[in-house]
Each structure stands twice: as C-alpha cells, then as structure tokens.
Amino acid sequence: MFSAVAVLFAGLLHATWNALAKAVPDRHAAFGVMGIAQSLICLPLLFFVAPPAAGAWPYWGVSIALQLVYMLLLIRCYELGDFGQVYPIARGSAPLLVAIVAGLQGERLALLQVFGLAATCGGLAALALAGAGRRRMPSRQAVTAAVLTGATIAAYTVVDGLGVRESGTALGYAVWMFAVEGVLTLAVMAAVRGRAIVPALRDRWRVSAVGGTISMVAYGLVLWAQTRSALAEVAALRETGILWGALIGALFFSERLGRRRIVAAGIVTVGVVLLSAR
C-alpha cells in the first residue's frame, strides 16, 4: 500500500518536472542544468551509500544510455507538440509495453489487474486526444516522437526494475545512477547544441535545477517501489502523473481541459484502482 502511494506521488512529481522542462525556452540547456544539479547532489552521497552489487552494473549502464536517449526524444516531443498531448501519449504508451516485457520475465497479473491495465492505457490514450479538436491534433512527427519516447520509458523501466533487484540497495543504485548520468547528460546536451549552450545555461537555471531535483526524487521513489511490487503495476501507477499533466497543461499552458478529458481521467482512475487490486 505504501509503495503504491509513493508511486502515485512520483507521478505528480514527474508531471511537475516535465512541465518545468517544457516551460524553459532552451530545453537542451535545461536538461544540462538538471543533470548537473543531480550530480552535485549525489556525488557527495557516494561516500555514504553502498554501490550496487556486481550483477546490477550491466543493467545500470544500459539504463543510463536509455535515459539519455529518452531525454533527447522528450525534447523533440516538446518541440513538436503541446504538453497536454505529447506527454500523455509518451507516458501512456509505456505501461502496456512494460507489462508485455515483464510477462516474458515471468510476472503475471491477476484478471482484475489485466482489466485495470487495459483501462489505464485506454484512458490515457483518450486523455491524450480528447478535447484537442481537429486543429489541435498532434502532428504525425509529434506522435512518432512521443511513441518512441514511451518505448524508451518502457525499456529503462524494465531494465531498472531488474537491475535494482540485483543491486541489493535501491538507494545505492539510484545515487550512483544519478551521479554519473547527470554529468553525461550535460556532455550530450553540449555536444548537440555546441558552444551556444554556454549562455543558455544561465537562462532560468534555478527552474531547471529545481526540475532536476524533483526528477531525481520522483525516479528514486519508483526504483524503491520496484523492489516491492510487480514491474507492470509500478509502471502503470506511475503513469497517473498524466492526470496531473492534463491539469498542468490547462492551468499553465492554456490548453483545453474539456468534458472528454475529464471522462478519460475518470477511466484512468478506475483502471488504477483495478490495477492495484490483489
């Protein structure tokens, strides 16, 4: 029960930091600052937490590579589409893929949880498009980028779910990951943007640093929950952050939140309840 609450809270935090990233004009610089903020917080902690066990290191390395790709795809999503459209598509496409892969790893969901997963994914898909209108439908390029983003989310979720169970320490796995990933994130963003990133790093750096901290806390909660619950359940519960994403899009990005989106949000809520059933 407590792990479910933690993942639901992580969903809110995830939607929040994504909105902060969307709001910053130069998103490559924003992600670079987020990465440095995470590294600065985690590097001193390396002296106080145990490193992951040897069996977790391959998963750890693959996860970092996947999350770097994920960040680049997410930036592309926000360049092409509205927050309230591409964010739900990206997040909503991940749980079904995670459930499929987790099933291949031997995990099984009860019948009610299967219905819950279907309702959650269907509701999220409806939430992505409801109220958009013909003139506000996502472009094909935006949809493609969002689905690819969802695929990378599914991939690193499964990889981390397996890795954190091998690591023997969820805290050590997360701290070591963010310490290294943050530095690599800045390097990748600088490689993409070149020298132009230097002045951009100073623009709204406080907002980006806060976003990086929130991102780290959110994913740390997810990693902890993955040591106590099924991967598909954690992944789908985490996607309830899309409910917050729809609300944030309406309040801060002047995006429409109509009757269809409210109904879709209700479907997601029912799906989450069923998915949590034992």
Side-chain angles (χ1 to χ4, degrees), residues 107-139:
E107 292 189 3
R108 293 293 182 269
L109 298 178
L111 183 60
L112 281 178
Q113 292 176 306
V114 172
F115 287 137
L117 185 62
T120 301
C121 293
L124 292 175
L127 185 59
L129 302 178
R134 292 184 179 179
R135 295 184 179 180
R136 301 298 296 166
M137 293 292 285
S139 68

Side-chain angles (χ1 to χ4, degrees), residues 50-246:
W57 285 106
Y59 299 100
W60 180 87
V62 171
S63 175
I64 289 178
L66 287 171
Q67 293 199 51
L68 292 173
V69 174
Y70 156 73
M71 292 176 198
L72 293 173
L73 286 171
L74 191 61
I75 291 171
R76 185 63 176 162
C77 285
Y78 292 156
E79 290 174 346
L80 295 171
D82 290 342
F83 182 79
Q85 293 174 335
V86 295
Y87 182 74
I89 294 172
R91 302 308 308 183
S93 59
L96 183 59
L97 295 172
V98 170
I100 293 173
V101 177
L104 296 176
Q105 296 293 326
E107 292 189 3
R108 293 293 182 269
L109 298 178
L111 183 60
L112 281 178
Q113 292 176 306
V114 172
F115 287 137
L117 185 62
T120 301
C121 293
L124 292 175
L127 185 59
L129 302 178
R134 292 184 179 179
R135 295 184 179 180
R136 301 298 296 166
M137 293 292 285
S139 68
R140 182 177 299 179
Q141 292 85 355
V143 170
T144 300
V147 171
L148 289 174
T149 302
T152 59
I153 293 169
Y156 75 65
T157 298
V158 172
V159 170
D160 279 337
L162 299 173
V164 76
R165 295 177 182 184
E166 292 284 342
S167 71
T169 165
L171 180 61
Y173 187 93
V175 169
W176 279 78
M177 172 181 290
F178 284 119
V180 174
E181 181 186 306
V183 175
L184 293 178
T185 298
L186 178 60
V188 169
M189 299 305 161
V192 173
R193 291 281 280 112
R195 294 183 179 180
I197 199 173
V198 176
L201 290 172
R202 296 193 292 267
D203 184 30
R204 303 188 189 182
W205 67 269
R206 292 181 180 85
V207 173
S208 300
V210 170
T213 303
I214 294 174
S215 169
M216 182 174 60
V217 173
Y219 200 57
L221 288 173
V222 171
L223 288 175
W224 173 81
Q226 285 177 327
T227 65
R228 288 161 172 78
S229 302
L231 295 183
E233 180 179 342
V234 171
L237 285 175
R238 182 188 181 197
E239 305 316 326
T240 57
I242 294 178
L243 299 175
W244 296 106

